[in-house]
Amino acid sequence: MARPLGEVHKRFLQTMMAKGIIDGDKAKALLRHCCETHGAPINDHLDEFIEVINAQLQPMFMQIRKGMSEEDGLQYYALVNMAETDVTRMSSDYADNELELFRKKKTMDLIVDSDTGTASSTDILNCADSLQTKKLKKKETEHVLNRLVQDEWLKEKQGEYSLSTRCIMEMEPYIRRFYQDQVKLCHICHNVVLQCQMCENPTCGIKIHVPCVARYFKGRTDPRCPACEDFWPHEIPEVNRPSSQSQSAAKEGRAPKSQSTAQTSKTRRS
Amino acid sequence: MSQRKRPHNAPSSQSKGARNSMVLLADEDDDVSYTQPSTSQVQKGLDRLTPAQVDLKTAEVVQFIFVKDQKKIPIRRADIVKHVVKEYRNIYPEILKRTSRTFETVFGLSLKEIDSKNHVYILVNKLDPPDGELLSMTPSNPKTGLLFVILGIIFMKGGVVKESMVWNTLKKLRVDPGEKHVDFGDVKKVVIEEFVKQRYLEHVRVPHTEPLEFEFRWGQRADIEVSKVKLLEFMGQLHDQDPQSWSQQYREATTPQASTAPSGPVSQR
Ligand SMILES: [Zn+2]
Ligand SMILES: [Zn+2]
């Protein structure tokens, strides 16, 4: 059987339960803090430490999962439900028709099917008319969308909705399974890609995460698609510096607005 | 903060048929009150199930309790049975035992029965609050400060105070219960509804009063979770006074008491 958990593990897990998601730097700081609190030797092996917790969480269908944010390219750790899922974490908080609005065939579909990984409020409002469980009025739909943003399932920017980092991390298996025909994988890091840049060659059309774009094209004067060699017609963002010591963004367990580092979950920076 | 919601219908790996019959049974049994099965009934029930089925049900109960606890709502056995355990009710004691063990060994939490007549449970933290924190469970929640002021008032007055006195004291601290507060919103509602529902406070009518009068006492969760020493330190900071100068309260806070705190002396470690 799995190794028993000590107080350091339990305190780390309790904080993860409370915060839901934290970035890599904060996770390391948290581990250090938990060690200090219990007078344990400082442990720098975060991933091994988390493996021990995960072994115990597995029978509960929970897991601390590591992944990259599509937005800032940072590495994050999120406590997720592995229940292959009808979005189980939500089901206690939302009514059936509210869940339907979010789920398959509705908001999720719009987001996954789009080229940009976003859905406009207008399109979401339109699909609220065709809910099978119980129709939502315009006002009600707007209210549900607000709650989904507040609970950090969705992010909203100027009327465009996208999936939050934590939501993507938790639902990645679900997205891969239920949208296997629509969803694309990032050409660079091979994870599910929603918000991205896309090759404009109609016979190619590969997608790359924005932070992966920054890393891949860094320093190239003539950016070309890694698959078809066509000119890459999008603005190449800067690779962001890692902010390992930055405490300002490290206070809340949320995805920070500030940009820090472009890094993927599969490639380790040297 | 965003103490996270846990799902309530956790994974269902049962076959379709099993799930359907589960729904049917649950509907029929909704109003049937639960009777504790005997040890031999539990054993018989376990013999008929695979270990995986029992594990799955345990996981569902754990998730269900997390959802409730996130809002600090006490959990009734009747609800666990009705909403989660369902047709596994004949092995409920075994499932509860495993659930309780999971909370202790994995999460550092302890499932405490706070009402043995109606079988009501709460989750309490087995880990000591970090230095300087009043409670482990509510990270940086502004309401914790409000709660501690009120628990402090009650403690200083020997365990029970009139409702009006609590409001007056809060006013002196510039928290007017008649006005909307920036952090707390409707203060009276938070105190009388939220804290009471969470079992941090008891709010009871004083008999034979006209007009009606109410008084506050500590609730069971406060007895279990709140350290009186830390509370006195908090009061000391608030009033700029050495906590030891309240000698009677200080003595009470530092004497381990057997009566008030149920079996889990989380706050006294
Ligand atoms: Zn990528
Ligand atoms: Zn291309």
Side-chain angles (χ1 to χ4, degrees):
Chain A
M1 258 304 279
R3 258 167 68 194
L5 300 187
E7 292 198 314
V8 178
H9 293 96
K10 290 174 185 170
R11 187 173 297 279
F12 187 93
L13 177 56
Q14 284 187 3
T15 312
M16 285 303 299
M17 299 268 310
K19 291 194 184 289
I21 181 167
I22 59 178
D23 73 38
D25 283 350
K26 272 172 270 169
K28 283 188 194 121
L30 174 62
L31 174 54
R32 228 171 295 133
H33 168 80
C34 292
C35 289
E36 281 162 10
T37 304
H38 293 285
I42 300 299
N43 182 345
D44 283 328
H45 305 286
L46 179 61
D47 287 348
E48 285 165 37
F49 177 84
I50 285 175
E51 278 315 304
V52 176
I53 297 179
N54 280 344
Q56 295 282 351
L57 286 178
Q58 204 236 330
M60 249 62 59
F61 304 93
M62 292 160 80
Q63 186 183 48
I64 298 176
R65 197 174 281 169
K66 186 177 172 179
M68 185 198 71
S69 154
E70 292 197 330
E71 245 161 298
D72 58 17
L74 273 177
Q75 198 83 254
Y76 281 85
Y77 291 86
L79 185 77
V80 301
N81 258 291
M82 298 184 298
E84 271 266 336
T85 141
D86 283 343
V87 205
T88 43
R89 188 153 55 92
M90 300 169 103
S91 54
S92 65
D93 290 330
Y94 293 87
D96 283 347
N97 57 343
E98 296 170 343
L99 288 171
E100 195 193 341
L101 178 74
F102 179 75
R103 245 185 258 198
K104 242 180 152 252
K105 303 273 177 258
K106 304 294 175 225
T107 308
M108 287 270 288
D109 260 39
L110 292 170
I111 290 174
V112 175
D113 279 342
S114 73
D115 288 346
T116 50
T118 58
S120 71
S121 52
T122 324
D123 289 346
I124 299 175
L125 286 170
N126 283 339
C127 74
D129 286 337
S130 56
L131 292 176
Q132 284 164 8
T133 34
K134 183 170 174 270
K135 285 194 174 47
L136 284 166
K137 295 197 188 85
K138 183 164 180 282
K139 268 254 142 56
E140 295 168 331
T141 306
E142 283 167 349
H143 183 68
V144 177
L145 286 174
N146 281 338
R147 276 174 57 210
L148 286 165
V149 170
Q150 234 168 46
D151 294 344
E152 293 175 71
W153 288 103
L154 292 177
K155 296 197 94 170
E156 189 262 348
K157 222 190 247 166
Q158 291 156 345
E160 295 284 323
Y161 290 86
S162 57
L163 301 184
S164 73
T165 301
R166 185 178 189 218
C167 178
I168 296 172
M169 284 170 78
E170 173 151 320
M171 306 234 268
E172 172 147 358
Y174 175 85
I175 293 172
R176 278 180 193 254
R177 204 168 93 182
F178 285 94
Y179 297 92
Q180 45 180 321
D181 297 333
Q182 298 107 300
V183 77
K184 291 207 169 174
L185 303 184
C186 171
H187 192 81
I188 303 297
C189 73
H190 311 293
N191 286 314
V192 163
V193 59
L194 298 171
Q195 291 186 75
C196 62
Q197 294 183 357
M198 192 174 157
C199 176
E200 287 184 359
N201 175 355
T203 61
C204 175
I206 59 148
K207 290 181 169 184
I208 306 180
H209 290 119
V210 178
C212 293
V213 165
R215 222 170 34 87
Y216 182 77
F217 289 115
K218 183 178 179 240
R220 300 193 192 195
T221 43
D222 181 29
R224 296 196 162 267
C225 170
C228 71
E229 301 270 290
D230 258 25
F231 178 67
W232 193 262
H234 307 281
E235 190 192 331
I236 311 296
E238 297 254 323
V239 176
N240 301 299
R241 305 286 320 139
S243 66
S244 295
Q245 300 311 317
S246 143
Q247 287 303 308
S248 57
K251 280 203 88 176
E252 285 295 297
R254 314 251 156 103
K257 294 265 157 15
S258 72
Q259 305 168 318
S260 306
T261 153
Q263 197 177 7
T264 71
S265 62
K266 290 278 159 66
T267 24
R268 185 162 292 190
R269 63 180 34 243
S270 45
Chain B
M1 275 299 292
S2 55
Q3 161 97 23
R4 279 300 172 154
K5 293 120 219 178
R6 307 313 327 170
H8 147 175
N9 298 315
S12 305
S13 65
Q14 293 104 333
S15 71
K16 259 215 170 99
R19 213 180 308 165
N20 287 341
S21 66
M22 194 159 99
V23 171
L24 280 177
L25 269 172
D27 286 341
E28 283 163 17
D29 288 356
D30 258 6
D31 293 311
V32 180
S33 69
Y34 171 78
T35 40
Q36 185 91 354
S38 69
T39 319
S40 63
Q41 281 172 315
V42 172
Q43 196 47 54
K44 252 191 227 150
L46 284 172
D47 290 344
R48 270 193 306 240
L49 295 164
T50 66
Q53 285 174 308
V54 182
D55 288 348
L56 185 65
K57 200 44 97 175
T58 306
E60 289 183 19
V61 173
V62 168
Q63 301 277 21
F64 179 79
I65 291 173
F66 272 135
V67 170
K68 296 282 176 196
D69 178 70
Q70 185 228 334
K71 293 165 186 139
K72 294 264 174 163
I73 301 171
I75 304 114
R76 293 165 51 225
R77 181 178 77 182
D79 288 332
I80 301 176
V81 172
K82 182 174 148 193
H83 297 298
V84 197
V85 173
K86 296 175 182 174
E87 87 281 15
Y88 287 56
R89 62 186 60 206
N90 56 334
I91 59 158
Y92 173 80
E94 178 63 22
I95 288 177
L96 191 76
K97 203 163 84 194
R98 293 181 185 212
T99 302
S100 184
R101 193 162 63 212
T102 299
F103 280 127
E104 303 243 351
T105 57
V106 182
F107 297 96
L109 302 168
S110 152
L111 189 66
K112 284 260 173 295
E113 188 169 60
I114 55 168
D115 178 343
S116 55
K117 197 166 133 246
N118 297 305
H119 304 283
V120 181
Y121 308 96
I122 59 172
L123 273 184
V124 294
N125 204 333
K126 297 270 285 180
L127 304 179
D128 285 328
D131 284 345
E133 294 284 326
L134 297 165
L135 288 175
S136 309
M137 289 294 274
T138 44
S140 63
N141 184 342
K143 285 178 190 166
T144 317
L146 176 65
L147 173 65
F148 266 72
V149 168
I150 297 168
L151 290 176
I153 300 168
I154 299 169
F155 181 53
M156 301 309 272
K157 292 289 166 195
V160 54
V161 291
K162 289 255 165 66
E163 181 181 324
S164 55
M165 171 159 189
V166 169
W167 305 140
N168 288 334
T169 315
L170 287 179
K171 250 187 225 165
K172 279 182 212 152
L173 296 166
R174 271 169 279 154
V175 176
D176 191 336
E179 286 170 18
K180 240 194 156 60
H181 189 273
V182 221
D183 289 328
F184 317 131
D186 186 338
V187 177
K188 279 198 181 176
K189 203 172 159 188
V190 170
V191 176
I192 295 178
E193 288 178 22
E194 208 173 307
F195 291 161
V196 171
K197 205 167 168 196
Q198 295 170 343
R199 308 285 174 115
Y200 278 118
L201 293 177
E202 274 179 21
H203 182 245
V204 281
R205 210 194 129 177
V206 185
H208 317 299
T209 45
E210 194 63 49
L212 288 182
E213 275 185 41
F214 287 86
E215 56 192 18
F216 285 110
R217 293 166 198 273
W218 279 34
Q220 289 145 306
R221 190 191 290 275
D223 282 332
I224 296 171
E225 276 185 15
V226 177
S227 146
K228 286 178 175 154
V229 175
K230 286 212 164 144
L231 182 69
L232 271 184
E233 285 164 7
F234 173 83
M235 298 296 285
Q237 284 165 12
L238 201 69
H239 295 279
D240 202 12
Q241 198 170 326
D242 179 1
Q244 298 210 29
S245 63
W246 297 298
S247 50
Q248 192 197 328
Q249 283 86 357
Y250 192 80
R251 222 177 306 127
E252 189 186 333
T254 47
T255 316
Q257 73 288 71
S259 57
T260 48
S263 47
V266 178
S267 59
Q268 295 154 26
R269 279 198 302 155

